[in-house]
């Protein structure tokens, strides 16, 4: 979804957008989010996603911010996909991955930050925080409805633009009633056979 939305600089009110999803059946098995952001400083950004039927994932939380880096990473922009099954590791520490400058701009796949802490926390709090608010929080929920994305720039100097966002949802079909009844009947036959089996008397 193309947005080309300016993110207010140094403003916790940020930018919010809703993505309407409809016509999907079954329950969610996997969710990925693509973000194309230009300008500004990546370490300023905080973003989260809320599902229409439960679930909350922290996508970005001041990347690079740590006890040794009070401002986070100063790179300008991302073009990435976020997935819990990412091979590149957590987006919060992307500079620890060789070739990161290319990877954060070519649509490569990273794990979401997941640190469900105040983005204005100290670096030491970021160092000890675990990734608990991940995309797996949506698994098992119904997919249809309004998905809400929020993103904010929390430090002065440099303005970011949210060029586009993509939401990919994979669902698994729910078992059909006939299949469930068939399984129940099979279980009933098995139970009867066990009940009336003659004991082994030697």
């Amino acid at each position: 979804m193309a947005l080309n939305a300016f993110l207010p600089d140094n403003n916790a009110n940020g930018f919010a957008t809703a993505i309407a999803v409809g016509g999907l059946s079954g329950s969610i098995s996997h969710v990925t989010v693509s973000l194309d952001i230009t300008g500004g400083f990546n370490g300023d950004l905080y973003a989260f996603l809320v599902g229409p039927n439960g679930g909350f994932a922290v996508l970005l939380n001041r990347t690079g911010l740590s006890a040794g880096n009070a401002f986070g990473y100063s790179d300008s922009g991302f073009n990435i996909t976020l997935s819990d099954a990412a091979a590149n590791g957590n987006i919060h520490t992307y500079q620890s991955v060789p070739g990161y400058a290319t990877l954060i701009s070519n649509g490569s796949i990273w794990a979401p930050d997941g640190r469900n802490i105040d983005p204005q926390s100290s670096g030491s709090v970021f160092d000890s925080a675990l990734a608990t608010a991940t995309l797996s929080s949506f698994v098992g929920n119904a997919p249809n409805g309004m998905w809400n994305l929020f993103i904010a720039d929390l430090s002065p100097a440099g303005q970011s633009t949210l060029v586009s966002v993509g939401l990919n949802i994979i669902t698994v079909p729910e078992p059909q009633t006939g299949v469930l009844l068939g399984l129940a009947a099979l279980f009933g036959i098995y139970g009867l056979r066990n009940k009336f089996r003659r004991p082994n008397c030697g």
Side-chain angles (χ1 to χ4, degrees):
M1 180 171 67
L3 294 170
N4 294 310
F6 291 111
L7 304 180
D9 188 39
N10 192 31
N11 189 333
N13 290 325
F15 171 82
T17 188
I19 303 169
V21 173
L24 297 180
S25 60
S27 59
I28 297 170
S29 65
H30 189 64
V31 173
T32 64
V33 178
S34 298
L35 296 173
D36 186 359
I37 300 169
T38 60
F41 299 98
N42 293 349
D44 294 353
L45 301 178
Y46 172 67
F48 62 78
L49 180 69
V50 179
N53 301 294
F56 171 80
V58 176
L59 306 177
L60 304 172
N61 198 348
R62 312 290 305 279
T63 56
L65 199 152
S66 66
N69 185 346
F71 300 101
Y73 294 152
S74 60
D75 304 302
S76 180
F78 293 102
N79 185 355
I80 54 173
T81 295
L82 298 169
S83 167
D84 286 349
N88 283 321
N90 193 288
I91 193 64
H92 190 83
T93 54
Y94 68 76
Q95 282 194 3
S96 64
V97 177
Y100 73 85
T102 299
L103 291 172
I104 64 167
S105 62
N106 69 0
S108 60
I109 303 175
W110 300 80
D113 192 297
R115 290 165 175 78
N116 192 15
I117 58 174
D118 185 338
Q120 303 288 19
S121 298
S122 67
S124 60
V125 174
F126 274 87
D127 288 344
S128 60
L130 300 177
T132 57
T134 62
L135 294 165
S136 63
S137 67
F138 304 115
V139 172
N141 295 339
N144 297 321
M146 300 301 294
W147 292 72
N148 292 286
L149 174 73
F150 174 84
I151 183 166
D153 180 319
L154 299 176
S155 291
Q159 186 172 53
S160 298
T161 300
L162 179 59
V163 177
S164 65
V165 58
L167 177 64
N168 183 48
I169 302 170
I170 298 174
T171 62
V172 291
E174 296 177 0
Q176 299 300 310
T177 305
V179 175
L180 290 173
L181 289 174
L183 288 173
L186 248 140
F187 178 77
I189 291 168
Y190 177 77
L192 284 172
R193 283 179 177 166
N194 278 337
K195 182 177 180 182
F196 293 107
R197 182 179 295 160
R198 292 184 62 184
N200 184 357
C201 300

